[in-house]
């Protein structure tokens, strides 16, 4: 049975960022939040105001004095950091880290993810307690991420691992797509009019040109209304040319 990971904000400085982090978590269906030694104390009214509809995450957030206590029940811990470290640990992208986290939780293991304070990020003493480092491949000349941005990136990658949303859809609700026969008849109509206009020239290239046109019609997600419009356009053009 998969267990949801716990997001751990280490010594966060601004209540607004805590609230924004909670919103980012709830956006992607995550609800386990822990806070270690917040600078402005806890609870924080600015965090509540920023969290908006995600206030329930703050209501149930765990408060801990140290990182060690916050991760005591975790079997595997990731530390998010953009700075190079003199510590020998696996360094993963968010995608790889969350895939690994999914595998671990699928085995019933508890996963924690550490996020450092806004100004300095995690200290080496914090990172030393983690099993692996997560680094976002950002611009090396400007690598500082806002706390809530970092939380959102990891939450998104966690959700994406098992999300079944298709990568592309045609959002055309209540649209009646053209049948294969209707598209075939449209192709016949175009060939008839183009033949009359002398489009298929020279004659030896005509079969290939017609094949390309048929292929084009097959690629297009034509609706019945599209087909009727194109038929109407051809008829109008033909009628006008006769005048």
């Amino acid at each position: 049975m998969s267990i949801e990971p716990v997001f751990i904000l280490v010594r966060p400085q601004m209540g607004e960022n805590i609230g924004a982090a909670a919103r980012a978590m709830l956006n992607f269906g995550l609800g386990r939040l822990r806070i270690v030694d917040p600078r402005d104390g806890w609870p924080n009214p600015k965090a509540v105001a920023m969290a908006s509809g995600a206030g329930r995450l703050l209501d149930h957030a765990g408060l801990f004095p140290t990182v060690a206590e916050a991760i005591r029940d975790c079997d595997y811990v990731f530390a998010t950091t953009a700075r190079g470290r003199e510590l020998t640990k696996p360094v993963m992208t968010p995608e790889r880290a969350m895939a690994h986290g999914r595998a671990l939780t699928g085995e019933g293991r508890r996963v924690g993810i550490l996020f450092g304070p806004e100004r300095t990020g995690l200290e080496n003493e914090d990172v030393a307690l983690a099993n692996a480092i997560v680094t976002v491949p950002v611009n090396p000349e400007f690598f500082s991420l806002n706390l809530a941005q970092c939380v959102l990136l990891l939450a998104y990658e966690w959700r994406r691992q098992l999300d079944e949303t298709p990568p592309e859809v045609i959002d055309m609700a209540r649209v009646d797509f053209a049948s294969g026969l209707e598209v075939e008849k449209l192709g016949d109509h175009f060939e008839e009019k183009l033949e009359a206009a002398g489009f298929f020239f020279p004659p030896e290239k005509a079969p290939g040109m017609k094949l390309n046109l048929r292929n084009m019609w097959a690629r297009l997600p034509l609706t019945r209304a599209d087909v009727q419009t194109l038929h109407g356009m051809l008829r109008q053009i033909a009628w006008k040319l006769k005048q």
Side-chain angles (χ1 to χ4, degrees), residues 47 132 141 209 218:
E141 296 180 3
M209 296 170 74

Side-chain angles (χ1 to χ4, degrees), residues 159-169:
R159 175 87 174 198
R160 195 172 67 88
Q161 297 300 323
L162 291 183
D163 186 62
E164 296 181 356
T165 302
E168 180 179 350
V169 295

Side-chain angles (χ1 to χ4, degrees), residues 189-202:
H189 194 178
F190 262 88
E191 283 188 16
E192 174 193 340
K193 300 304 181 186
L194 291 173
E195 190 80 61
F199 177 77
F200 298 114
F201 183 85

Side-chain angles (χ1 to χ4, degrees), residues 15 18 35 38 40-48 58-59 63:
I18 300 173
I35 303 170
D40 297 335
W42 195 256
N44 187 311
K46 292 182 178 179
V48 175
L58 302 181
D59 294 339
L63 182 64

Side-chain angles (χ1 to χ4, degrees), residues 179-190 214 217 231:
S179 69
L181 179 60
E182 289 168 326
V183 174
E184 179 185 346
K185 295 299 183 184
L186 176 65
D188 292 343
H189 194 178
F190 262 88
R214 295 288 178 171
W217 299 126
H231 277 301

Side-chain angles (χ1 to χ4, degrees), residues 106-192:
E107 297 172 355
R109 300 176 69 182
R110 298 179 180 86
V111 170
I113 307 170
L114 300 175
F115 299 88
E118 297 89 324
R119 188 176 63 84
T120 61
L122 293 170
E123 300 293 338
N124 279 358
E125 291 76 12
D126 305 317
V127 178
L129 299 175
N131 300 94
I133 289 172
V134 184
T135 296
V136 180
V138 294
N139 178 3
E141 296 180 3
F142 190 71
F143 54 79
S144 177
L145 283 175
N146 175 272
L147 173 59
Q149 291 174 328
C150 191
V151 168
L152 185 141
L153 279 170
L154 272 292
Y156 165 75
E157 285 294 346
W158 177 268
R159 175 87 174 198
R160 195 172 67 88
Q161 297 300 323
L162 291 183
D163 186 62
E164 296 181 356
T165 302
E168 180 179 350
V169 295
I170 299 175
D171 189 9
M172 303 176 75
R174 298 183 300 278
V175 168
D176 192 7
F177 286 98
S179 69
L181 179 60
E182 289 168 326
V183 174
E184 179 185 346
K185 295 299 183 184
L186 176 65
D188 292 343
H189 194 178
F190 262 88
E191 283 188 16
E192 174 193 340

Side-chain angles (χ1 to χ4, degrees), residues 41-110:
W42 195 256
N44 187 311
K46 292 182 178 179
V48 175
M50 180 61 77
S52 187
R56 62 180 181 273
L57 268 70
L58 302 181
D59 294 339
H60 296 95
L63 182 64
F64 296 84
T66 67
V67 172
E69 290 173 274
I71 65 172
R72 191 162 287 166
D73 63 342
C74 295
D75 300 306
Y76 198 96
V77 177
F78 295 99
T80 61
T81 177
R83 293 186 286 130
R85 302 288 180 172
E86 297 178 356
L87 299 170
T88 304
K89 290 184 185 294
V91 179
M92 306 181 187
T93 63
E95 181 179 15
R96 168 63 183 136
M98 294 303 93
H100 186 44
R102 279 281 190 187
L104 291 169
T105 59
E107 297 172 355
R109 300 176 69 182
R110 298 179 180 86

